[in-house]
Amino acid sequence: MSDPVDSSQAHMEYFPLDGESLTPAHLVSFGKGILKIKLTPEAENRVNKAREVIEEIIKQKKVVYGINTGFGKFANITIPSMKLKELQDNLIRSHAAGVGSPLSPERTRMLLALRINILAKGHSGVSLETLHRMVEAFNASCLSYVPERGTVGASGDLAPLAHLALGLMGEGNMWSLKTGWAEAKYVLEMHGLKPISLGPKEGLALINGTQLITALGAEAVERAQAIARQADVIAALTLQVLKGTTKAFDSDIHAARPHPGQVDVAWRLRSVLDSDVFPSEITVKNRAHERVQDAYSLRCCPQVHGVANDTIAFVKSILTTEMNSATDNPLVFGEQNKIVSGGNFHGEYPAKALDFLSIGVHELASISERRIERLCNPSLSELPAFLVTEGGLNSGFMIAHCTAAALVSENKVLCHPSSVDSLSTSAATEDHVSMGGWAARKALRVVEHVEQVLAIELLAACQALEFHRPLKTTPPLEAVYQLVRMVVRPWDQDRVMSPDIQAAHKLLQEEKVWEAVAPYMEKYRDSLPHCPTN
């Protein structure tokens, strides 16, 4: 992700959070520091009503879990009223037991924004004052030190969310653009902010939920969507330089097996490859020798890329529901004047979805690596070995292909689902957990590897195009070539390749390849009155 942005800039847009309409794309924008938060009046009203229920319970001295009892195994121990604040403070301090590197400022912004959105639903019982202080901290980009490891994903992401709350209390460490890493109390003071002071149930409300899983998952699914549609463009360029046929992308074939992702991918391939709208000189020259069919890594792109697209859509739906759901315990229902214990904190939904995402999106790298092999292997490509002249003196893309193979192999291990595991915790009170935190962190690593493999294929395909010159490919694919050549020059002899892979990776992360072809796809769509919408 990009470098931290000063979210205190005056021109930044305020985005209303209501606990009901947040999307993964919105959350990623919060993470990048380009949006500030404001609460809707409806959300504030719900928060106040729920808080009134908590205050009435305290007033009437009812015994309710999480308000005046211990937690987990200690749920049967009643806490006297004079120690209720100490109870909540102790909860945060004891649960701040994470380890590992801290989340980046961007990912901590996402985590905090998502927790605010959940509290804004009005089922958690926090005071409006506490919620406002959280919003103020977010808008000033005062971000707690949150170690990335320590959650088992049931009873929520307790450790990371406790660290998030700890900084807001003025304890532990925080980061801001103005101060860097420093003691939380000092960071808040430097921004003119007060630490939150926890009332009954508020500590529990701040740490009970699936927000680490879901926040990291939102980034993973947004990046997966971006790389998936650019993978179609890169595959099209590879097919073109390997003189492949477009027959396998005929619309009738995919209408006969109309999975949405498959249909969309075939359409994207048709929209940038040789057609009456966008002719290719390479295709025209080789038409007399056109193959009947290509290898699977080319011919089956709609089927393989397609199911990755459908997987991403499914995961995005699960995460969108999750990020607008009350996931703590017990839940407060202000309108009904009741508080009920349940299990919405269990992370199985996002955990299973993110394991599925890893498996689905990995296949984009798996098939890409096979296409890289075809580009590099002269017996398959009819191009110079490893896409370089004076082979032997130069090694060309030989080891770039090895890098792609290594990343694909790593992904095979990372794709083992974490959510099939469960270890009993909290003296067997929490005897089934989701392991969703690892599912989310793995998904991000898998997606990044997919981006890097496709960056290598993009460079290899552009290099292969050099050997077809002076012939040109289609206008949209020429636009991709020109984009790449703005940051990476052709290989006429060996040079250090890692910076070029990084440059291509950055293009994909910033969706520049998609931006380059999108206008051409629109033109293609306009030429076909009954073309599917993408």
Side-chain angles (χ1 to χ4, degrees), residues 256-274:
R257 193 197 194 195
H259 292 295
Q262 178 176 331
V263 170
D264 286 351
V265 172
W267 183 89
R268 289 182 196 136
L269 290 165
R270 292 196 304 273
S271 74
V272 298
L273 287 166
D274 179 73

mmCIF file of all heavy atoms in Angstrom, residues 256-274:
data_model
loop_
_atom_site.group_PDB
_atom_site.id
_atom_site.type_symbol
_atom_site.label_atom_id
_atom_site.label_comp_id
_atom_site.label_asym_id
_atom_site.label_seq_id
_atom_site.Cartn_x
_atom_site.Cartn_y
_atom_site.Cartn_z
ATOM 1 N N ALA A 256 -23.079 -21.170 -23.617
ATOM 2 C CA ALA A 256 -23.437 -22.569 -23.366
ATOM 3 C C ALA A 256 -23.029 -23.025 -21.969
ATOM 4 O O ALA A 256 -23.446 -24.094 -21.512
ATOM 5 C CB ALA A 256 -22.772 -23.469 -24.411
ATOM 6 N N ARG A 257 -22.238 -22.235 -21.288
ATOM 7 C CA ARG A 257 -21.832 -22.511 -19.897
ATOM 8 C C ARG A 257 -21.759 -21.169 -19.171
ATOM 9 O O ARG A 257 -20.689 -20.669 -18.844
ATOM 10 C CB ARG A 257 -20.469 -23.191 -19.875
ATOM 11 C CG ARG A 257 -20.113 -23.808 -18.509
ATOM 12 C CD ARG A 257 -18.619 -24.089 -18.452
ATOM 13 N NE ARG A 257 -18.259 -24.950 -17.350
ATOM 14 C CZ ARG A 257 -17.012 -25.124 -16.904
ATOM 15 N NH1 ARG A 257 -16.007 -24.481 -17.476
ATOM 16 N NH2 ARG A 257 -16.763 -25.927 -15.895
ATOM 17 N N PRO A 258 -22.887 -20.570 -18.875
ATOM 18 C CA PRO A 258 -22.922 -19.127 -18.550
ATOM 19 C C PRO A 258 -22.617 -18.755 -17.107
ATOM 20 O O PRO A 258 -23.379 -18.029 -16.457
ATOM 21 C CB PRO A 258 -24.354 -18.749 -18.931
ATOM 22 C CG PRO A 258 -25.149 -19.989 -18.643
ATOM 23 C CD PRO A 258 -24.247 -21.140 -18.992
ATOM 24 N N HIS A 259 -21.487 -19.235 -16.585
ATOM 25 C CA HIS A 259 -21.046 -18.702 -15.306
ATOM 26 C C HIS A 259 -20.698 -17.223 -15.499
ATOM 27 O O HIS A 259 -20.008 -16.869 -16.473
ATOM 28 C CB HIS A 259 -19.815 -19.454 -14.808
ATOM 29 C CG HIS A 259 -20.090 -20.881 -14.430
ATOM 30 N ND1 HIS A 259 -20.916 -21.213 -13.376
ATOM 31 C CD2 HIS A 259 -19.648 -22.048 -14.969
ATOM 32 C CE1 HIS A 259 -20.966 -22.530 -13.267
ATOM 33 N NE2 HIS A 259 -20.210 -23.063 -14.220
ATOM 34 N N PRO A 260 -21.127 -16.347 -14.614
ATOM 35 C CA PRO A 260 -20.922 -14.904 -14.835
ATOM 36 C C PRO A 260 -19.464 -14.519 -15.054
ATOM 37 O O PRO A 260 -19.144 -13.755 -15.968
ATOM 38 C CB PRO A 260 -21.475 -14.271 -13.551
ATOM 39 C CG PRO A 260 -22.484 -15.245 -13.050
ATOM 40 C CD PRO A 260 -21.943 -16.599 -13.402
ATOM 41 N N GLY A 261 -18.552 -15.038 -14.215
ATOM 42 C CA GLY A 261 -17.151 -14.688 -14.366
ATOM 43 C C GLY A 261 -16.593 -15.157 -15.692
ATOM 44 O O GLY A 261 -15.840 -14.432 -16.364
ATOM 45 N N GLN A 262 -16.928 -16.358 -16.088
ATOM 46 C CA GLN A 262 -16.443 -16.900 -17.353
ATOM 47 C C GLN A 262 -16.913 -16.046 -18.528
ATOM 48 O O GLN A 262 -16.126 -15.721 -19.429
ATOM 49 C CB GLN A 262 -16.939 -18.333 -17.525
ATOM 50 C CG GLN A 262 -16.537 -18.980 -18.843
ATOM 51 C CD GLN A 262 -16.969 -20.430 -18.951
ATOM 52 O OE1 GLN A 262 -17.083 -21.132 -17.949
ATOM 53 N NE2 GLN A 262 -17.226 -20.894 -20.167
ATOM 54 N N VAL A 263 -18.178 -15.668 -18.525
ATOM 55 C CA VAL A 263 -18.730 -14.837 -19.602
ATOM 56 C C VAL A 263 -18.017 -13.481 -19.642
ATOM 57 O O VAL A 263 -17.657 -12.980 -20.718
ATOM 58 C CB VAL A 263 -20.248 -14.654 -19.400
ATOM 59 C CG1 VAL A 263 -20.804 -13.613 -20.360
ATOM 60 C CG2 VAL A 263 -20.975 -15.987 -19.586
ATOM 61 N N ASP A 264 -17.793 -12.889 -18.472
ATOM 62 C CA ASP A 264 -17.142 -11.582 -18.420
ATOM 63 C C ASP A 264 -15.702 -11.643 -18.925
ATOM 64 O O ASP A 264 -15.252 -10.757 -19.659
ATOM 65 C CB ASP A 264 -17.157 -11.039 -16.990
ATOM 66 C CG ASP A 264 -18.523 -10.543 -16.557
ATOM 67 O OD1 ASP A 264 -19.420 -10.455 -17.413
ATOM 68 O OD2 ASP A 264 -18.695 -10.259 -15.357
ATOM 69 N N VAL A 265 -14.956 -12.664 -18.505
ATOM 70 C CA VAL A 265 -13.562 -12.775 -18.918
ATOM 71 C C VAL A 265 -13.469 -12.969 -20.429
ATOM 72 O O VAL A 265 -12.639 -12.328 -21.098
ATOM 73 C CB VAL A 265 -12.854 -13.922 -18.176
ATOM 74 C CG1 VAL A 265 -11.461 -14.165 -18.765
ATOM 75 C CG2 VAL A 265 -12.737 -13.602 -16.692
ATOM 76 N N ALA A 266 -14.305 -13.827 -20.972
ATOM 77 C CA ALA A 266 -14.289 -14.034 -22.430
ATOM 78 C C ALA A 266 -14.582 -12.733 -23.161
ATOM 79 O O ALA A 266 -13.963 -12.424 -24.192
ATOM 80 C CB ALA A 266 -15.310 -15.104 -22.819
ATOM 81 N N TRP A 267 -15.521 -11.964 -22.621
ATOM 82 C CA TRP A 267 -15.843 -10.670 -23.244
ATOM 83 C C TRP A 267 -14.639 -9.725 -23.191
ATOM 84 O O TRP A 267 -14.305 -9.058 -24.177
ATOM 85 C CB TRP A 267 -17.029 -10.024 -22.531
ATOM 86 C CG TRP A 267 -17.438 -8.725 -23.171
ATOM 87 C CD1 TRP A 267 -18.326 -8.554 -24.179
ATOM 88 C CD2 TRP A 267 -16.923 -7.425 -22.851
ATOM 89 N NE1 TRP A 267 -18.409 -7.218 -24.517
ATOM 90 C CE2 TRP A 267 -17.560 -6.515 -23.720
ATOM 91 C CE3 TRP A 267 -16.006 -6.949 -21.927
ATOM 92 C CZ2 TRP A 267 -17.301 -5.144 -23.683
ATOM 93 C CZ3 TRP A 267 -15.730 -5.583 -21.896
ATOM 94 C CH2 TRP A 267 -16.381 -4.705 -22.757
ATOM 95 N N ARG A 268 -13.964 -9.665 -22.060
ATOM 96 C CA ARG A 268 -12.799 -8.783 -21.941
ATOM 97 C C ARG A 268 -11.709 -9.194 -22.926
ATOM 98 O O ARG A 268 -11.063 -8.338 -23.561
ATOM 99 C CB ARG A 268 -12.254 -8.812 -20.511
ATOM 100 C CG ARG A 268 -13.137 -8.113 -19.502
ATOM 101 C CD ARG A 268 -12.501 -8.139 -18.126
ATOM 102 N NE ARG A 268 -13.478 -7.826 -17.099
ATOM 103 C CZ ARG A 268 -13.625 -8.458 -15.949
ATOM 104 N NH1 ARG A 268 -12.823 -9.477 -15.662
ATOM 105 N NH2 ARG A 268 -14.537 -8.102 -15.083
ATOM 106 N N LEU A 269 -11.488 -10.491 -23.056
ATOM 107 C CA LEU A 269 -10.481 -10.971 -24.002
ATOM 108 C C LEU A 269 -10.851 -10.567 -25.436
ATOM 109 O O LEU A 269 -10.012 -10.071 -26.188
ATOM 110 C CB LEU A 269 -10.322 -12.479 -23.884
ATOM 111 C CG LEU A 269 -9.652 -12.967 -22.593
ATOM 112 C CD1 LEU A 269 -9.873 -14.454 -22.392
ATOM 113 C CD2 LEU A 269 -8.159 -12.648 -22.601
ATOM 114 N N ARG A 270 -12.120 -10.761 -25.787
ATOM 115 C CA ARG A 270 -12.559 -10.370 -27.135
ATOM 116 C C ARG A 270 -12.396 -8.867 -27.353
ATOM 117 O O ARG A 270 -12.069 -8.410 -28.455
ATOM 118 C CB ARG A 270 -14.021 -10.756 -27.366
ATOM 119 C CG ARG A 270 -14.278 -12.246 -27.448
ATOM 120 C CD ARG A 270 -15.645 -12.563 -28.048
ATOM 121 N NE ARG A 270 -16.757 -11.938 -27.351
ATOM 122 C CZ ARG A 270 -17.386 -12.449 -26.296
ATOM 123 N NH1 ARG A 270 -16.971 -13.608 -25.781
ATOM 124 N NH2 ARG A 270 -18.415 -11.834 -25.737
ATOM 125 N N SER A 271 -12.627 -8.087 -26.306
ATOM 126 C CA SER A 271 -12.641 -6.634 -26.459
ATOM 127 C C SER A 271 -11.263 -6.035 -26.733
ATOM 128 O O SER A 271 -11.177 -4.913 -27.245
ATOM 129 C CB SER A 271 -13.252 -5.975 -25.218
ATOM 130 O OG SER A 271 -12.356 -6.008 -24.124
ATOM 131 N N VAL A 272 -10.197 -6.753 -26.384
ATOM 132 C CA VAL A 272 -8.852 -6.197 -26.599
ATOM 133 C C VAL A 272 -8.046 -6.955 -27.654
ATOM 134 O O VAL A 272 -6.980 -6.487 -28.059
ATOM 135 C CB VAL A 272 -8.053 -6.164 -25.273
ATOM 136 C CG1 VAL A 272 -8.743 -5.273 -24.257
ATOM 137 C CG2 VAL A 272 -7.824 -7.554 -24.709
ATOM 138 N N LEU A 273 -8.555 -8.105 -28.100
ATOM 139 C CA LEU A 273 -7.865 -8.877 -29.126
ATOM 140 C C LEU A 273 -8.390 -8.515 -30.519
ATOM 141 O O LEU A 273 -9.282 -7.687 -30.670
ATOM 142 C CB LEU A 273 -8.022 -10.376 -28.839
ATOM 143 C CG LEU A 273 -7.199 -10.879 -27.655
ATOM 144 C CD1 LEU A 273 -7.659 -12.271 -27.226
ATOM 145 C CD2 LEU A 273 -5.705 -10.885 -27.988
ATOM 146 N N ASP A 274 -7.821 -9.145 -31.532
ATOM 147 C CA ASP A 274 -8.141 -8.818 -32.921
ATOM 148 C C ASP A 274 -9.638 -8.899 -33.197
ATOM 149 O O ASP A 274 -10.296 -9.893 -32.851
ATOM 150 C CB ASP A 274 -7.403 -9.779 -33.862
ATOM 151 C CG ASP A 274 -7.698 -9.506 -35.321
ATOM 152 O OD1 ASP A 274 -7.176 -8.489 -35.835
ATOM 153 O OD2 ASP A 274 -8.470 -10.271 -35.921
#
